[in-house]
Amino acid sequence: MTSDVTDGGRGRTAVDRGDEVEQGDEVERGDEVERVERGHEAEHANRAEQVDWDAEAAAFDDAPDHGLRDPEVRAAWAERLADWLPDGPGDVLDLGCGTGSLALLAAERGHRVTAVDLSPAMAERARVKLAGHDALVLVGDAACPPVGERRYDAVMARHVLWLFPDPAAALRHWCSLLRPGGRLVLVEGVWGRTSPVGIPAARLTESLAPLVAHTHTERLSGDPRLWGGPVADERYALLGAARRAGAPSRHVEVVDVHLVLRRDEEVLLARRAGTGYGDGLLHLPSGHVEDGEDVRAAMVREAREELGLGLGPAELRAVLVLQHRGPGGAPRTGWFFEARYGAGGEPVNAEPHKCAGLSWHPLDDLPDDMVAYCRAGLERLRAGDHFAVHWQHDEDTVAHDPAAPDRTVPLGPGRAGALHHVELWVPDLASAEASWGWLLEELGYAREQVWERGRSWRRGEAYVVLEQSAALRPGRHDRCAPGVNHLAFHVPDRAALDRLVRLAPGHGWTPLFAERYPYAGGEAHCAAYLEDGLGYEVELVAGHR
C-alpha cells in the first residue's frame, strides 16, 4: 500500500507503509519511544532518496493536488495562495516545485517566481507550465537552493521539509533567503496512523518560533477541495513572517492549552497516536494557541476538535500555568484549564487518527506511561500549585520516568494554609439552597455535590457546603452570638455589586445597613451586607474607593 504522492524537496515521496508495525507492538517508553518520535523522518527520507523522480514525473500530475487539473481544486489552492503570498507583485521562491503547479498560480498573480526541484524531468515540466510568465526554473536541492545572494518576498514549500534529515538547518537557511518582512509559507502534515511520518504542527511551530517575528497556522485537513476529496490525516499550513530591518530579536514561545476534564476525582487522558510526538503515551487533550486566539478560545476549539465537547468560556477554569522545556527542545508555556464532566456533552474520540483511545484515571494514582510534561502538570495540580516550571535536560525522555529526578519547580504560594472549604449547618436546607445557591452561582461557584441532607458549590480550590445535619441543635442562627459572624466575597466592581443588591431580595436576602450603602463599612470600603431568612449574613466587597 502506498500513500498519495506528495511534493518533495529532494524529490517527491510515495511512502511505502507495508512494513508498518501494529500499534500494540510499539514499545511505549524508554529508548524505543525516542526512536519512534525522532526516527521516522530520517528513515522515510532515506526511502525517498531511492525513488527515481525523473521516472515519476510523467504521472506526477495525476494526483488532484499536484496537477490541479480539477477547476475546484485549482481554485481552492489559488484562494489560499492569495492569502499567504504578498498582496503586490513580489519575488517568490518555490522549493521542491515538482511540475510547477503552485509556482504557476503564484506567477498568474503577477509574482516573479523562482522554482527549484532536484529532478531535471520535474523541472522541465515546470518550465513548460511557466512558459510566458516571469519565472525561472532551476535544478537543485531545496534544502540549499542554488540562488546565490538573491533574496525573496516569500519562500514556499509544500510537503518538503519533513523529508530532510535536518529540517532545522533547512529552516534556518530558508529564513536567511527572506527579505525583512518577507513570508515563509510551509504546507506540511503527518501521514499514517500506526507508524506516522511527517512533522506535527506544534513541533514545526516550535522550531520556527526563534527564526521569525511571528507564526500563524491554518488547518487544511478539513478542506476537501484542496485534495480532491476528504482526507483523514493531519495537513496544515504554517506561515512565518520574517523580522523587519532594525526590529529587535525577541524571545518567543509556543503557548499550549491542556484540558483537565474532571469526573469526581478522575481525569480524562488520551493515548497519543499518529502525531510524531509522544505516540503511545497518555496525555491530556491539548493543543496550541493559534494567531488571533486567546487561551480560552484555543481551549474551547481544542475541546471541540478532540473531544466533540461544546464548552463555553464560562465552563473553563484556569488552574495552572506551566513553563516547560522538553529534552532537546525550545521552551513553551502551557495553560491548564479545568472543566467538569458533563459540561459541553459526553466526550468522544473525535480525532481517531491522532488518538488511540480515551480513558479515565484517578488524579491521585496516575499511570506511569504518560508524557512527562503532562504528568508534571497534573502532579502540580494535585499539590495545589498554580504556577511552575518544568525544565527537562537533553538526556531526559519525553516519557515520564518514575526513577528520573523531578524537574518541576513550583512558583508562588502552594495550597498549604489556603482556605479549603466552609460548611454552614442550616435548619432548613430548601430555604438555604434558594438563597445561597443563587448567590454562590452568581459569584462564579458551580454546584458540585447533592445529597439528601446537603449541597456544595465549588470555585477554584475552595467550596461552600450547606448541610441540614441530623446532629443539628434546634434554634435559629444568631450572627451576633459568639462564633462566625458572616462570610465575605469579592465581586468584580461597583456595577456588579449594584446588580446583586437589586436582585437579592427576590432570592430571600434582606439588605443590612441599607441607608449607608455602599459605604457602611467605611468611606473607603465599597461593599453590601445581606442577611438571609435563616439569619446568615454575607458581605459582598467591590473594592476600595
Side-chain angles (χ1 to χ4, degrees):
M1 173 180 171
T2 58
S3 74
D4 291 340
V5 178
T6 59
D7 295 56
R10 298 173 179 257
R12 284 123 306 272
T13 179
V15 179
D16 183 359
R17 306 199 193 283
D19 62 346
E20 284 186 341
V21 295
E22 293 300 318
Q23 187 169 354
D25 295 334
E26 292 184 9
V27 179
E28 294 180 353
R29 295 183 53 211
D31 294 340
E32 186 64 14
V33 169
E34 290 295 302
R35 185 194 67 77
V36 169
E37 290 167 351
R38 297 180 178 178
H40 286 311
E41 289 88 346
E43 176 185 348
H44 287 281
N46 289 338
R47 292 186 189 177
E49 293 280 1
Q50 300 170 11
V51 178
D52 184 350
W53 297 113
D54 285 340
E56 297 286 335
F60 184 73
D61 280 351
D62 292 345
D65 57 315
H66 294 166
L68 308 185
R69 292 165 175 165
D70 185 313
E72 185 177 17
V73 176
R74 194 173 198 278
W77 282 103
E79 290 171 11
R80 296 284 181 159
L81 285 185
D83 291 336
W84 298 339
L85 297 179
D87 293 332
D91 294 307
V92 174
L93 177 61
D94 182 9
L95 298 172
C97 67
T99 59
S101 296
L102 292 188
L104 178 59
L105 293 180
E108 288 175 343
R109 292 191 57 82
H111 296 297
R112 299 173 294 275
V113 177
T114 300
V116 178
D117 199 276
L118 187 65
S119 164
M122 294 284 186
E124 183 56 37
R125 290 178 177 271
R127 290 189 185 98
V128 173
K129 282 186 183 179
L130 291 162
H133 294 278
D134 190 356
L136 173 66
V137 180
L138 303 173
V139 175
D141 188 346
C144 189
V147 296
E149 297 299 317
R150 280 175 285 186
R151 295 296 178 264
Y152 297 88
D153 300 298
V155 173
M156 64 179 184
R158 182 174 65 169
H159 299 166
V160 173
L161 191 65
W162 75 278
L163 290 170
F164 300 146
D166 190 352
L171 279 178
R172 289 192 296 270
H173 185 62
W174 291 355
C175 288
S176 74
L177 299 176
L178 288 170
R179 291 178 177 138
R183 303 181 185 184
L184 185 63
V185 180
L186 304 174
V187 177
E188 285 293 338
V190 176
W191 303 272
R193 298 187 180 182
T194 58
S195 185
V197 297
I199 305 178
R203 184 188 296 179
L204 185 52
T205 301
E206 181 178 350
S207 298
L208 192 58
L211 304 175
V212 296
H214 59 83
T215 62
H216 168 65
T217 305
E218 292 184 17
R219 183 173 178 268
L220 305 181
S221 305
D223 188 351
R225 301 177 308 149
L226 294 168
W227 317 107
V231 295
D233 44 34
E234 177 188 1
R235 306 187 188 190
Y236 62 89
L238 195 152
L239 314 176
R243 297 186 180 91
R244 297 190 177 276
S249 177
R250 297 180 183 273
H251 173 71
V252 293
E253 291 188 8
V254 173
V255 177
D256 297 322
V257 290
H258 307 258
L259 181 62
V260 185
L261 189 64
R262 295 286 296 270
R263 188 176 70 179
D264 295 328
E265 298 306 312
E266 294 181 316
V267 295
L268 184 68
L269 298 178
R271 193 168 296 280
R272 299 178 67 88
T275 69
Y277 172 80
D279 291 333
L281 301 174
L282 292 167
H283 198 280
L284 289 168
S286 59
H288 65 275
V289 179
E290 297 183 356
D291 275 1
E293 289 183 322
D294 63 32
V295 290
R296 295 178 308 165
M299 190 75 270
V300 167
R301 174 181 53 76
E302 291 289 348
R304 181 181 64 253
E305 292 177 354
E306 296 191 22
L307 301 177
L309 295 180
L311 292 174
E315 296 171 299
L316 294 169
R317 185 168 60 91
V319 290
L320 174 70
V321 177
L322 178 69
Q323 189 189 34
H324 160 76
R325 176 190 180 273
R332 58 200 306 129
T333 297
W335 285 70
F336 289 70
F337 287 91
E338 185 175 282
R340 290 286 161 179
Y341 171 69
E346 183 71 20
V348 298
N349 184 4
E351 293 185 329
H353 57 292
K354 295 183 181 180
C355 174
L358 304 173
S359 52
W360 293 94
H361 300 268
L363 183 58
D364 62 357
D365 188 20
L366 294 170
D368 286 336
D369 58 333
M370 295 181 65
V371 173
Y373 176 18
C374 173
R375 174 68 180 249
L378 290 178
E379 292 285 3
R380 288 305 94 209
L381 283 182
R382 191 169 64 177
D385 295 310
H386 298 295
F387 303 92
V389 169
H390 180 246
W391 210 262
Q392 290 185 278
H393 296 186
D394 289 347
E395 64 271 17
D396 293 342
T397 61
V398 171
H400 169 68
D401 181 358
D406 184 1
R407 305 296 190 191
T408 314
V409 179
L411 306 175
R415 178 180 293 169
L419 185 67
H420 188 272
H421 75 275
V422 173
E423 185 167 325
L424 301 179
W425 280 20
V426 297
D428 184 340
L429 181 60
S431 176
E433 183 179 9
S435 56
W436 281 93
W438 166 79
L439 181 61
L440 290 170
E441 289 172 18
E442 285 285 335
L443 294 173
Y445 286 74
R447 182 187 292 269
E448 185 172 42
Q449 292 182 309
V450 176
W451 65 100
E452 181 183 1
R453 291 183 173 272
R455 309 286 188 268
S456 71
W457 290 261
R458 176 181 290 276
R459 189 178 190 276
E461 295 292 325
Y463 61 94
V464 177
V465 177
L466 301 179
E467 184 173 358
Q468 188 174 346
S469 171
L472 180 69
R473 295 174 183 172
R476 187 178 187 274
H477 174 71
D478 183 358
R479 61 186 175 82
C480 292
V484 175
N485 177 265
H486 68 276
L487 301 184
F489 300 90
H490 286 287
V491 297
D493 50 35
R494 173 65 187 273
L497 183 68
D498 290 343
R499 176 180 173 275
L500 290 174
V501 169
R502 184 176 69 254
L503 296 176
H507 298 275
W509 294 95
T510 300
L512 299 173
F513 322 118
E515 71 282 0
R516 289 185 284 158
Y517 174 78
Y519 300 111
E523 292 186 359
H525 187 69
C526 184
Y529 301 86
L530 306 173
E531 183 181 44
D532 76 348
L534 301 176
Y536 295 89
E537 179 186 346
V538 296
E539 178 181 354
L540 306 177
V541 183
H544 295 281
R545 186 165 64 175

